[in-house]
Amino acid sequence: MGRAYPFQTARHVARKTFRSPLTSWFGDDRLRRLFANAGILLGGKTVNAIAGLAGLAIAARALGVEQFGILVLIHTFTQTIGEIAKFQSWQAVLRYGTPALNDGRIGDFQRLLRFTAHLDGWSAIAGTFLSVAVAWALGPSFDWPAELMPAALIYVTSVLFMVQATPTGILRLIDRFDILSVQSTLGAIIRMVGGGIAWVMGGGIVAFLVAWYIATAVAGIYLIAKGWSELRKRGLLDGYSWRGDGKPMSHGFDGVWSFVWSTNLSSTLELAYTHIGTLAVGWMLGPRDAALFRIARQLGEALAKPAKLLIPAIYPELSRMIEARQFGEMRSLIQRSALLAGAGAMLALVICWFIGEIGLRLIVGEEFVPAWPVMMWLVAAAVVGIWSFPLEPVMVSAGEAHKALMVRIWTTAVYIPILLACIHWFGLIGAGWARMFSAILVLVAFLVPVVRWFRQRMAEERNKA
């Protein structure tokens, strides 16, 4: 074990007890804490998945395929701009905040928060203006009706509430995954309830845009408020001032600008595997196929979601282990966690094969059943991605964000033209084939540098010994 992390709760303190071989195989306290934190998120994500599917089902049944497709395109466009605009500053909070707190450098930690909070604020403002300008220019290309454009331009300003990286990093750093779980559920429930009210009252697509906007705003405000509240409870805001201590906000955090730019660009490139697929289908095939693709992705990812929750949960563990130079234990942690997560994902694939078509018919209606073939390919691609879930976090936590960025750049450069070509030649199913290809490509592309990094670190430790 390394030195104790100062903000661990009692349940996280290691206890040396007798372990059976099976217990020993499942690893040390870090692996159990990793799955425990993921389990906390899963509790909220289970409700979130149910509420999210219910919200989509309500909108799909109330609006029909065409109108639902327009709603999905407006919402996906807004999410895309939000992801492009915001810095992934939560990763900087973990990467630089962990050693600052371990060393008791509260002043440095507060300076880091000022830095990341300013990034969030300015990117939220820039993203809001960008979303309106791009929506006004490109809305007709996605077949958004002219009479709907005013409502769409208002809706895209919800980007302002999507930039919440600093409080996300704070809550992950102090192991308050329960709050993150509540926040993720809150928006889905409001979207479901608001959509239900709109449906009952006979509201059209504008009513659904209002309900979804309110859900985004409430969830964003809640997370920001809780993040700063938790810091205040721990005394980490004592003496805090937005004007700072006279030092540059990035002072003492070597390479932080390069880090945040790299992680931001890497996250932006990752959009190619999420929202860009829906937008590409909508642009090339129209709102109807965009609706089918979005439903397929939502249902497919819901089955694979439990294992994917390990990604945010593993970042704090990796940061602590790298700080303590526990590379052997770290390698064991990612191997075992990937194996367990991959096994769960394979089970999700089997479930989807047997009940996917029936689920589509029951949840969203007969007219969405054609989404089943592409849904199977999207689930299979998600399974491949889950097997590789620890790889990119290892590179980012180890300060190799620039290498992770290079991987994202060239794999995205390969994937985008393949996606467009497959949609053009094969239609909707082509988007699923392209996604599967990209998942395998990304797995191999991250695995090679991670294996090389571990070999180098282990060799360094042997030479020191």
Side-chain angles (χ1 to χ4, degrees), residues 135-136 207 229 233 235 287:
W136 180 80
S229 173
K233 288 179 182 178

PDB file of all heavy atoms in Angstrom, residues 135-136 207 229 233 235 287:
ATOM      1  N   ALA A 135     -25.835  26.410 -35.351  1.00  0.00           N
ATOM      2  CA  ALA A 135     -27.198  25.906 -35.554  1.00  0.00           C
ATOM      3  C   ALA A 135     -27.934  26.743 -36.591  1.00  0.00           C
ATOM      4  O   ALA A 135     -28.662  26.208 -37.443  1.00  0.00           O
ATOM      5  CB  ALA A 135     -27.965  25.916 -34.229  1.00  0.00           C
ATOM      6  N   TRP A 136     -27.754  28.051 -36.535  1.00  0.00           N
ATOM      7  CA  TRP A 136     -28.410  28.937 -37.502  1.00  0.00           C
ATOM      8  C   TRP A 136     -27.917  28.642 -38.927  1.00  0.00           C
ATOM      9  O   TRP A 136     -28.694  28.663 -39.878  1.00  0.00           O
ATOM     10  CB  TRP A 136     -28.122  30.384 -37.134  1.00  0.00           C
ATOM     11  CG  TRP A 136     -28.747  31.380 -38.070  1.00  0.00           C
ATOM     12  CD1 TRP A 136     -30.048  31.812 -38.090  1.00  0.00           C
ATOM     13  CD2 TRP A 136     -28.091  32.063 -39.146  1.00  0.00           C
ATOM     14  NE1 TRP A 136     -30.247  32.717 -39.101  1.00  0.00           N
ATOM     15  CE2 TRP A 136     -29.063  32.898 -39.772  1.00  0.00           C
ATOM     16  CE3 TRP A 136     -26.790  32.062 -39.643  1.00  0.00           C
ATOM     17  CZ2 TRP A 136     -28.758  33.709 -40.858  1.00  0.00           C
ATOM     18  CZ3 TRP A 136     -26.495  32.861 -40.734  1.00  0.00           C
ATOM     19  CH2 TRP A 136     -27.461  33.674 -41.327  1.00  0.00           C
ATOM     20  N   ALA A 207     -42.773  21.577 -27.075  1.00  0.00           N
ATOM     21  CA  ALA A 207     -42.993  21.227 -25.665  1.00  0.00           C
ATOM     22  C   ALA A 207     -41.908  20.273 -25.171  1.00  0.00           C
ATOM     23  O   ALA A 207     -41.433  20.384 -24.026  1.00  0.00           O
ATOM     24  CB  ALA A 207     -44.371  20.606 -25.491  1.00  0.00           C
ATOM     25  N   SER A 229     -20.130  22.767  -2.578  1.00  0.00           N
ATOM     26  CA  SER A 229     -20.590  22.527  -1.212  1.00  0.00           C
ATOM     27  C   SER A 229     -19.722  21.480  -0.511  1.00  0.00           C
ATOM     28  O   SER A 229     -19.378  21.634   0.676  1.00  0.00           O
ATOM     29  CB  SER A 229     -22.053  22.066  -1.231  1.00  0.00           C
ATOM     30  OG  SER A 229     -22.485  21.683   0.054  1.00  0.00           O
ATOM     31  N   LYS A 233     -17.467  21.877   2.985  1.00  0.00           N
ATOM     32  CA  LYS A 233     -17.616  21.014   4.153  1.00  0.00           C
ATOM     33  C   LYS A 233     -16.268  20.500   4.644  1.00  0.00           C
ATOM     34  O   LYS A 233     -16.070  20.295   5.839  1.00  0.00           O
ATOM     35  CB  LYS A 233     -18.520  19.822   3.813  1.00  0.00           C
ATOM     36  CG  LYS A 233     -19.984  20.174   3.647  1.00  0.00           C
ATOM     37  CD  LYS A 233     -20.777  18.925   3.276  1.00  0.00           C
ATOM     38  CE  LYS A 233     -22.240  19.257   3.045  1.00  0.00           C
ATOM     39  NZ  LYS A 233     -23.021  18.039   2.635  1.00  0.00           N
ATOM     40  N   GLY A 235     -13.422  22.073   4.373  1.00  0.00           N
ATOM     41  CA  GLY A 235     -12.511  23.172   4.678  1.00  0.00           C
ATOM     42  C   GLY A 235     -11.551  23.499   3.561  1.00  0.00           C
ATOM     43  O   GLY A 235     -10.591  24.249   3.769  1.00  0.00           O
ATOM     44  N   PRO A 287     -33.955  12.600 -40.993  1.00  0.00           N
ATOM     45  CA  PRO A 287     -34.360  12.463 -39.589  1.00  0.00           C
ATOM     46  C   PRO A 287     -34.867  11.074 -39.219  1.00  0.00           C
ATOM     47  O   PRO A 287     -34.651  10.619 -38.090  1.00  0.00           O
ATOM     48  CB  PRO A 287     -35.473  13.512 -39.445  1.00  0.00           C
ATOM     49  CG  PRO A 287     -35.187  14.523 -40.501  1.00  0.00           C
ATOM     50  CD  PRO A 287     -34.625  13.729 -41.651  1.00  0.00           C
TER      51      PRO A 287
END
